[in-house]
């Protein structure tokens, strides 16, 4: 079985060296000193002898990076090149650092100042939108036109907000490279080169009249995990980053509460979401699918959060691409709850729009207005359930003005 982050983190040094096997010859060597080093055992193409190629130390070299390096080394072997000899020659020739090399060095240097969610999102952006195009290029040879081409690819998908983030991360990497003497200038295009977003354009949001059909379309989506991830997001109107990072240990089933740690929140402050009976039932139904992982929602890799775009892809595939976004769920919930008579301060507290008072304790902040929030979230769960089962006239009759 492939090595998981949990196994790698929990591997303790013993009196003698031992190894965890990831597959295909890739192993994590745990040394008595406590060092954990990625190695690849292969047969030298020239001598035929068993040889070890050292990839690097964990966690500086993550599991995904080690696997990628493993594939690159295997590629050299298929052409008859000994990877250790190739590594020595590259050092002697003073191989120029690639964009990937510098970007990962920059990412590592920022980890202590980032939340886990921010670090994960930044790495996903690099791996999905930047590395495939310029990752292997020598960073000194990259020019503004190269970076603009990377940005244009993202803009071409209609993801203007994501394109802005890509430009910001390119700029951050090159500023780091400039400060550390790796490049002589920063070639990142200015903000003026970006496509202009339409004035006053906001996130698309579901309307109340659209919700019943949206829920019916969503119910037919085949992936058990992704369908429930979108449904859970709608029931809790939480931010995408909190949902994709959610862990089973955060759920208090007895108290029907989702206690989100600070590192999974945009504002860096812990937050609690009362769970309606509908949300609790959804999680219980999901247990057989993802209960083997610390993560509540995952797809391909049980110990790796899904990407930010995973939930948005569900919306696109059920035909709602131009009508709503995941963020639009929050706007819909806010609108319905305000119109139904719940107090604005209760709604805003549940949306986590307010920053926690620096003097107040985290517990007091999370518990503020809790009885009212519990009632409101159950009302919202009943409302969403009714939307999926009845026509608008029935819904309007059942859910009139409420007072929070």
């Amino acid at each position: 079985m492939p090595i998981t982050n949990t196994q790698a983190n929990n591997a303790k040094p013993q009196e003698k060296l031992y190894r965890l096997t990831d597959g295909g010859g890739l192993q994590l060597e745990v040394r008595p000193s406590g060092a954990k080093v990625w190695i690849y055992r292969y047969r030298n193409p020239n001598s035929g002898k068993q040889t070890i190629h050292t990839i690097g130390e964990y966690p500086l070299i993550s599991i995904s990076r080690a696997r990628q390096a493993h594939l690159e080394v295997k590629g050299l072997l298929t052409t008859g090149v000994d990877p250790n000899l190739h590594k020595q020659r590259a050092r002697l020739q003073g191989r120029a650092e690639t964009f990937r090399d510098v970007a990962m060095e920059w990412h590592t240097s920022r980890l202590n100042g980032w939340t886990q969610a921010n670090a994960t999102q930044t790495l996903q952006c690099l791996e999905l939108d930047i590395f495939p195009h310029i990752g292997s290029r020598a960073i000194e040879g990259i020019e503004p036109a190269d970076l603009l081409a990377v940005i244009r690819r993202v803009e071409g998908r209609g993801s203007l907000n994501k394109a802005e983030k890509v430009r910001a991360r390119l700029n951050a990497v090159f500023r780091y490279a400039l400060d550390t003497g790796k490049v002589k200038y920063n070639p990142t295009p200015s903000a003026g080169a970006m496509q202009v977003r339409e004035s006053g354009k906001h996130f698309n949001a579901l309307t109340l009249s659209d919700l019943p059909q949206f829920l019916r379309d969503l119910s037919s989506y085949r992936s058990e995990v992704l369908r429930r991830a979108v449904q859970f997001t709608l029931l809790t109107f939480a931010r995408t980053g909190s949902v994709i990072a959610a862990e089973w240990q955060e759920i208090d089933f007895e108290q029907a509460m989702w206690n989100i740690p600070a590192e999974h929140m945009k504002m860096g402050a812990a937050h609690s979401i009362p769970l309606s009976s509908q949300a609790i039932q959804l999680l219980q139904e999901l247990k057989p699918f993802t209960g083997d992982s610390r993560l509540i929602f995952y797809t391909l890799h049980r110990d790796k959060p899904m990407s930010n775009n995973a939930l948005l892809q569900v919306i696109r595939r059920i035909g709602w691409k131009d009508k709503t976004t995941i963020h639009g769920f929050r706007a819909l919930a806010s609108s319905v709850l305000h119109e139904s008579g719940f107090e604005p301060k209760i709604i805003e507290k549940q949306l986590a729009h307010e920053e926690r008072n620096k003097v107040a304790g985290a517990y007091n902040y999370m518990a503020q207005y809790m009885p009212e929030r519990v009632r409101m979230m159950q009302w919202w769960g009943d409302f969403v359930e009714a939307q999926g089962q009845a026509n608008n006239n029935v819904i309007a009759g059942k859910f009139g003005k409420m007072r929070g």
Side-chain angles (χ1 to χ4, degrees):
M1 294 291 291
I3 297 171
T4 65
N5 281 316
T6 300
Q7 289 174 319
N9 290 333
N10 292 341
K12 304 299 181 185
Q14 299 179 6
E15 186 176 342
K16 294 184 179 181
L17 176 150
Y18 68 96
R19 300 183 179 102
L20 302 177
T21 299
D22 191 67
L26 178 63
Q27 297 178 317
L28 182 62
E29 187 173 87
V30 184
R31 299 173 178 174
S33 64
K36 303 173 186 179
V37 180
W38 293 106
I39 63 169
Y40 173 47
R41 301 171 67 87
Y42 68 97
R43 193 172 295 279
N44 189 300
N46 301 316
S47 65
K49 295 181 179 180
Q50 282 287 337
T51 310
I52 292 178
H53 176 78
T54 301
I55 293 174
E57 191 168 342
Y58 178 87
L60 184 59
I61 302 297
S62 65
I63 293 178
S64 60
R65 286 186 66 197
R67 287 172 180 159
Q68 185 169 4
H70 172 224
L71 292 175
E72 292 172 356
V73 170
K74 290 180 71 174
L76 290 173
L77 287 169
T78 60
T79 61
V81 176
D82 176 16
N84 280 339
L85 182 60
H86 177 79
K87 188 176 182 179
Q88 292 170 4
R89 287 174 176 171
R91 285 175 177 170
L92 290 173
Q93 293 170 0
R95 181 181 67 86
E97 290 183 285
T98 66
F99 179 87
R100 181 193 300 274
D101 294 332
V102 178
M104 293 309 302
E105 184 179 316
W106 163 75
H107 184 270
T108 300
S109 73
R110 294 294 184 270
L111 290 179
N112 288 337
W114 284 342
T115 64
Q116 181 181 345
N118 191 17
T120 300
Q121 290 170 10
T122 300
L123 185 58
Q124 287 176 342
C125 176
L126 291 169
E127 291 180 336
L128 296 176
D129 294 308
I130 300 177
F131 287 166
H133 311 298
I134 61 171
S136 61
R137 294 271 304 273
I139 193 167
E140 284 185 308
I142 294 176
E143 299 181 355
D146 300 317
L147 301 186
L148 188 59
V150 172
I151 295 168
R152 290 286 186 257
R153 286 187 178 93
V154 182
E155 289 178 335
R157 305 198 304 257
S159 304
L160 300 189
N161 187 56
K162 183 66 175 291
E164 291 169 359
K165 292 181 179 179
V166 167
R167 193 197 77 85
R169 283 159 184 161
L170 288 170
N171 186 46
V173 172
F174 272 99
R175 278 168 48 199
Y176 173 81
L178 187 62
D179 291 342
T180 54
K182 301 176 188 295
V183 296
K184 296 181 179 178
Y185 81 110
N186 182 350
T188 307
S190 70
M194 306 290 291
Q195 287 187 18
V196 179
R197 191 186 302 274
E198 293 180 30
S199 177
K201 186 174 181 179
H202 302 284
F203 289 106
N204 291 336
L206 279 175
T207 64
L208 185 54
S209 61
D210 284 336
L211 186 54
Q213 186 60 52
F214 172 81
L215 290 169
R216 286 192 285 271
D217 291 343
L218 178 60
S219 67
S220 65
Y221 193 75
R222 295 180 62 183
S223 170
E224 297 285 349
V225 176
L226 286 174
R227 182 178 72 249
R228 286 183 170 89
V230 175
Q231 291 168 336
F232 185 74
T233 307
L234 180 59
L235 286 169
T236 59
F237 45 90
R239 291 185 174 92
T240 301
S242 298
V243 173
I244 64 176
E247 301 182 6
W248 285 109
Q249 65 179 5
E250 298 170 13
I251 305 297
D252 185 337
F253 281 97
E254 185 175 343
Q255 298 297 322
M257 194 71 63
W258 177 19
N259 297 310
I260 309 175
E263 59 266 27
H264 294 171
M265 288 296 296
K266 179 180 180 181
M267 301 304 296
H271 182 56
S272 289
I273 296 181
L275 296 176
S276 62
S277 59
Q278 291 82 2
I280 289 292
Q281 180 180 343
L282 181 151
L283 292 173
Q284 291 171 336
E285 292 173 349
L286 190 61
K287 270 281 187 180
F289 296 96
T290 64
D292 62 336
S293 169
R294 62 183 176 83
L295 295 169
I296 297 177
F297 304 104
Y298 73 87
T299 50
L300 298 177
H301 306 287
R302 61 188 296 274
D303 288 304
K304 182 178 181 181
M306 62 181 73
S307 74
N308 280 334
N309 287 327
L311 303 188
L312 185 58
Q313 288 299 321
V314 175
I315 290 177
R316 289 173 175 170
R317 287 169 182 165
I318 63 174
W320 287 78
K321 173 183 176 182
D322 298 322
K323 298 180 181 179
T324 189
T325 63
I326 296 297
H327 192 86
F329 294 170
R330 292 168 61 80
L332 172 64
S334 177
S335 175
V336 171
L337 293 171
H338 275 95
E339 291 177 6
S340 298
F342 288 95
E343 293 185 51
K345 63 183 180 182
I346 308 298
I347 300 169
E348 294 304 298
K349 185 67 65 177
Q350 195 52 60
L351 286 165
H353 279 166
E354 300 176 357
E355 292 189 60
R356 178 168 61 88
N357 187 299
K358 293 181 180 179
V359 178
Y363 176 80
N364 291 335
Y365 169 79
M366 289 191 290
Q368 200 170 20
Y369 309 122
M370 190 56 74
E372 297 91 340
R373 288 160 61 189
V374 168
R375 178 171 178 254
M376 181 179 73
M377 294 304 288
Q378 184 56 57
W379 185 93
W380 174 249
D382 293 339
F383 180 82
V384 171
E385 181 180 20
Q387 287 280 336
Q389 296 177 350
N391 61 48
N392 288 341
N393 292 331
V394 173
I395 294 167
K398 182 177 179 181
F399 295 91
K401 289 281 183 178
M402 300 290 292
R403 291 294 168 190

